Amino acid sequence: MNKRHNKWEICRTGTLAGLLLCAGIGTAFAHHVIVDTDYVLNKKDKPGVVLVDARAASDYKKGLIPGAVVLGEKPGAVALRDVNARILPVKNLEKILGDAGITREHEIIVYGAKGDTDPDVVFWILEYLGAEKAKVYHGGMDDWTTAKNSMKNEARKLPAAKFTAKVRADVLATTNYVKKSLKNKEVQFIDSRTAKEHSGDDIRSLRGGNIAAVNQSSIPYESAWKDPEALTKLAEKKVDNRDGVALQDMAALKEPYKGVDPKKEVVAYCQTGTRSTQTYAVLREMGYQKVRNYDDSWIIYGANPDLPVNNVTYFDFVKVNTALKTLQALEKRLTGLEPKK
C-alpha cells in the first residue's frame, strides 16, 4: 500500500518540487494506517515502536516476527473484547496493554494471518483508546514468510508500562448513536456482511435483514481484496495460500466505495463488529477521517424488535425444531442398526 521509495527518489533529485516534498514528507505519510513488509522491516526495531502479534498462542508459538509482543494466549481481538465480542471497559484495556509493555505514545504495528480481522479489531480499539500511531500490517505472517524473513518461537517480553487512554468516542458507534442517526442523511452506514446477510436470506440473529438507515450501502468487507472469494477457495482447497486476500491497489480499492462520501461520517457494521473493523481500517487508509465501528452490530441490533429493519425475516424455530427431531430419530435408527458386540 505504501509507495514511499518513489518520493525519496524525487527528494534526491534536488529539484524545487523534490525539496518541497521532502520538507513535508512526515505529514505525507501520516495518513497511512495499513503498512507493508518493507515498512515493518524498517520500523520494527526502532525505539518507540512495538510490534504486536494478534494471533492465538497455538499459531504464534509456531513462529512470529522477531521482536513481536503478544496480548496473552488468546487472539488479540478476543483478549480485548468480552465473550459476546463487545469491547472491554477502558480500565481493563489499559491494564492488558500496559502489562504487554505498550503505551499510547508508541507506534504500534499489529499483524496476524494475511487478511485476518484480528489485527483490524486491535487497531480499531487502539484508535478508540487514543493511540495516534497505530498501524495494521495486512499481509502479516504470510507476506513475512513469503519474503523469507526470519522468525522466532518466543514473543518479546517488555517491562510493564502504563497505558493511559485518551478515549475517542468518535470512532465508536453505540446502539443509541445508531438509533438516533437512522434518518440522518449525513451519516452513511456500510453493511460489511455478505449480500445474503444484508438481504435477510442468511439470518444470524433473532431477525434477518439490515439496519433501516436512510443512507446505507451494502459493501462486503471482502470487496477490498484482490479476490473476494479467496477464503472460500482456501476452505474448499481450490487454492493453497492467502494471496487473494491482499488488498487491491488504491485505484481499484476506491471502486466499491465510490458511493461513500469521504466528507461525511461513516458507520461500518457487520454481525459482531468484527469484519467491519477491516472496513474501518481500509476507509482510514483511503483518507476517510470520520469513521465509526458499530461494536454491537447486527447480533444486538437484529435481536431488538424495537429497532427498525429493512428486508426483515425471522428465524423459523418451528422448522429448526422439526429438523432436529428428524435428526434425532435418524440417529436412533442408525444406533439400532449397529452390530451388537
Side-chain angles (χ1 to χ4, degrees):
M1 297 295 294
N2 304 76
K3 303 298 183 184
R4 293 173 168 73
H5 300 299
N6 290 339
K7 290 183 175 68
W8 284 111
E9 286 167 8
I10 293 171
C11 291
R12 287 196 294 267
T13 65
T15 63
L16 177 60
L19 290 170
L20 289 172
L21 180 57
C22 285
I25 203 146
T27 55
F29 298 153
H31 76 280
H32 284 293
V33 299
I34 298 178
V35 298
D36 58 16
T37 304
D38 287 343
Y39 186 91
V40 175
L41 276 167
N42 181 52
K43 282 279 194 172
K44 73 181 187 68
D45 297 320
K46 292 188 175 181
V49 177
V50 177
L51 189 61
V52 178
D53 191 314
R55 298 174 299 161
S58 57
D59 290 317
Y60 68 67
K61 285 182 178 179
K62 296 175 184 175
L64 38 65
I65 298 175
V69 303
V70 297
L71 300 178
E73 298 281 308
K74 299 176 182 178
V78 177
L80 302 182
R81 301 171 103 188
D82 64 24
V83 292
N84 296 311
R86 306 281 66 76
I87 191 169
L88 290 176
V90 171
K91 291 295 182 185
N92 299 49
L93 297 171
E94 288 177 325
K95 180 172 181 5
I96 293 168
L97 294 166
D99 286 350
I102 301 170
T103 71
R104 184 167 55 83
E105 292 72 30
H106 278 124
E107 176 173 353
I108 309 162
I109 305 172
V110 192
Y111 75 91
K114 186 171 186 171
D116 191 58
T117 54
D118 279 338
D120 299 294
V121 172
V122 177
F123 164 74
W124 165 66
I125 290 174
L126 287 169
E127 290 217 320
Y128 168 69
L129 295 174
E132 297 181 355
K133 295 179 284 186
K135 313 280 186 186
V136 178
Y137 176 24
H138 183 87
M141 282 304 299
D142 298 82
D143 281 7
W144 185 262
T145 55
T146 296
K148 302 188 184 304
N149 291 309
S150 63
M151 294 192 298
K152 279 195 173 181
N153 291 324
E154 290 188 9
R156 180 185 181 191
K157 293 188 183 299
L158 292 172
K162 184 172 179 58
F163 190 105
T164 304
K166 188 177 180 181
V167 173
R168 288 187 56 197
D170 61 321
V171 302
L172 168 66
T174 63
T175 295
N176 284 337
Y177 181 84
V178 167
K179 184 178 178 180
K180 75 177 186 180
S181 301
L182 295 177
K183 296 181 180 180
N184 185 351
K185 293 181 180 179
E186 297 301 306
V187 179
Q188 306 164 106
F189 285 78
I190 294 180
D191 187 347
S192 301
R193 301 175 299 161
T194 65
K196 285 189 175 181
E197 287 174 88
H198 183 80
S199 67
D201 293 312
D202 184 357
I203 305 172
R204 301 193 185 186
S205 187
L206 182 63
R207 299 176 293 173
N210 60 81
I211 293 173
V214 295
N215 191 347
Q216 180 176 197
S217 302
S218 172
I219 310 174
Y221 84 114
E222 303 98 330
S223 302
W225 300 347
K226 287 186 175 179
D227 181 2
E229 301 297 323
L231 290 187
T232 300
K233 291 177 181 177
L234 187 63
E236 295 173 351
K237 298 184 177 180
K238 293 179 180 178
V239 297
D240 61 0
N241 58 61
R242 299 173 71 93
D243 291 351
V245 301
L247 294 178
Q248 302 181 66
D249 61 39
M250 188 57 69
L253 200 55
K254 290 179 179 179
E255 179 61 25
Y257 297 99
K258 62 184 179 184
V260 183
D261 189 341
K263 296 179 182 178
K264 294 181 180 180
E265 186 162 318
V266 180
V267 174
Y269 76 95
C270 60
Q271 172 69 9
T272 61
T274 300
R275 287 172 283 177
S276 51
T277 61
Q278 191 163 114
T279 298
Y280 174 91
V282 167
L283 290 172
R284 291 278 290 105
E285 174 65 16
M286 292 170 64
Y288 287 71
Q289 295 299 313
K290 295 184 279 188
V291 188
R292 296 174 185 257
N293 183 51
Y294 179 23
D295 192 41
D296 284 346
S297 272
W298 188 254
I299 195 170
I300 301 297
Y301 190 99
N304 187 341
D306 294 328
L307 296 174
V309 169
N310 291 326
N311 301 333
V312 64
T313 54
Y314 290 91
F315 199 79
D316 192 339
F317 291 100
V318 174
K319 187 176 180 180
V320 171
N321 286 334
T322 302
L324 286 173
K325 289 177 181 178
T326 302
L327 286 172
Q328 289 169 352
L330 180 59
E331 185 178 13
K332 287 181 180 179
R333 287 181 60 190
L334 291 172
T335 302
L337 292 174
E338 290 179 357
K340 295 181 180 180
K341 296 181 180 178

